[in-house]
Amino acid sequence: LNLILFGPPGAGKGTQAARLQDDFRLPYVATGDILRAAVKDGTELGRAAKAYMDAGDLVPDELVIDLIVERISADDSRDGFILDGFPRNRAQADALGEAFDRLGRRITAVLLIDVPDDDLVRRITGRRVSAKTGRPYHVETDPPKHEGRCDIDGSRLIQRDDDRPDVVRKRLEVYHRETEPLISYYDDKGLLRRVDGTRSPTEVHDHIRAVLATLR
Ligand code: AP5
Ligand code: ZN
């Protein structure tokens, strides 16, 4: 199963990935998580990426494409993976397609989690994430069992630096301009599957499982 989770900021990609990982035990490759870890560790990548992320812009392709292509070419991804946050523009989509051709593999599906902009802002402002793994929660719609602590790793829940309202607006703008055109790109290839992302996390998860069952 080579699955791409696609959708605007706050659509629930990370939330659904966490549930799908429990279902399928596949490597979860989240570009945003990888970049945030690099920023936290102060690596060369992190130092180069930070300003773009803080501004809500895409990090340049040169920093992202090779990183992700290498990651999904690694041995532990041979049986499949769940990709979140990549590709985000045409150049990234083309690079991913070429990498798949080279590896003799194919994308199983691109799952679009569809949510209108107004809901997204509300979701992102209420989001809290595990300080350790980035696993997302929501203060109202998806609270942790123990306040302020991740159910899985017990670490503190924090707010992401780029979840400030002005940066969220910018991320939405970038999504509509650069990333949304990939919907028709993948639809034309017959790979796109739409999921109504406005229902509860559990309902969205059930819907995704039903969609995947028709593909395998
Ligand atoms: P990234 O980390 O990928 O962020 P994003 O795409 O903006 O998406 P989010 O993580 O904000 O949302 P999500 O869909 O995962 O939602 P979540 O499940 O958390 O990217 C961050 C930055 O990194 C980018 O801006 C860019 O700078 C850089 N970057 C990343 N990839 C890149 C690339 N390929 N190229 C260049 N730059 C790149 O849910 C959100 C909230 O809603 C949570 O609180 C959750 O609990 C709640 N929620 C989830 N589902 C539901 C539901 N069904 N009902 C109610 N609430 C829900
Ligand atoms: Zn996410």
Side-chain angles (χ1 to χ4, degrees):
L1 182 73
N2 300 321
L3 190 63
I4 298 179
L5 290 176
F6 194 88
K13 302 182 293 292
T15 300
Q16 295 304 323
R19 287 163 166 77
L20 292 169
Q21 252 181 305
D22 293 343
D23 297 338
F24 296 110
R25 304 271 153 223
L26 289 173
Y28 169 46
V29 182
T31 319
D33 287 349
I34 294 172
L35 292 172
R36 276 184 292 279
V39 169
K40 195 167 147 200
D41 294 345
T43 65
E44 201 179 318
L45 169 68
R47 287 199 301 275
K50 186 176 188 316
Y52 297 99
M53 298 177 76
D54 286 348
D57 276 318
L58 293 186
V59 172
D61 290 341
E62 310 80 271
L63 297 176
V64 174
I65 290 179
D66 290 351
L67 180 80
I68 298 302
V69 166
E70 250 171 62
R71 181 65 190 79
I72 60 164
S73 309
D75 260 1
D76 71 333
S77 293
R78 222 174 11 207
D79 294 330
F81 55 80
I82 300 169
L83 194 54
D84 164 357
F86 188 94
R88 273 177 130 101
N89 60 27
R90 182 60 191 263
Q92 294 182 10
D94 287 340
L96 185 66
E98 283 160 24
F100 267 90
D101 290 345
R102 223 170 26 242
L103 293 164
R105 293 169 57 179
R106 58 181 193 90
I107 297 169
T108 313
V110 177
L111 271 181
L112 167 63
I113 307 180
D114 226 351
V115 178
D117 282 12
D118 288 350
D119 294 2
L120 296 171
V121 175
R122 213 167 22 245
R123 284 190 187 185
I124 293 179
T125 34
R127 169 165 53 194
R128 302 292 182 273
V129 301
S130 154
K132 203 150 135 203
T133 63
R135 184 177 177 120
Y137 295 86
H138 191 281
V139 288
E140 282 156 16
T141 58
D142 199 11
K145 293 194 183 79
H146 302 283
E147 204 188 323
R149 296 272 158 198
C150 176
D151 295 348
I152 307 297
D153 58 48
S155 72
R156 218 159 39 86
L157 296 184
I158 55 167
Q159 254 187 309
R160 263 169 53 174
D161 287 340
D162 60 348
D163 280 355
R164 296 201 327 262
D166 54 325
V167 184
V168 171
R169 273 193 299 277
K170 177 67 182 295
R171 283 159 59 202
L172 281 172
E173 210 181 284
V174 170
Y175 171 80
H176 290 305
R177 193 177 58 236
E178 311 223 9
T179 309
E180 210 169 27
L182 294 182
I183 293 176
S184 58
Y185 174 93
Y186 283 118
D187 207 10
D188 289 346
K189 295 181 189 297
L191 292 173
L192 193 81
R193 298 290 180 278
R194 273 175 206 271
V195 171
D196 176 3
T198 62
R199 332 255 318 236
S200 73
T202 304
E203 286 170 314
V204 176
H205 178 217
D206 289 345
H207 187 176
I208 290 177
R209 290 186 54 127
V211 168
L212 294 180
T214 67
L215 295 172
R216 312 180 80 215

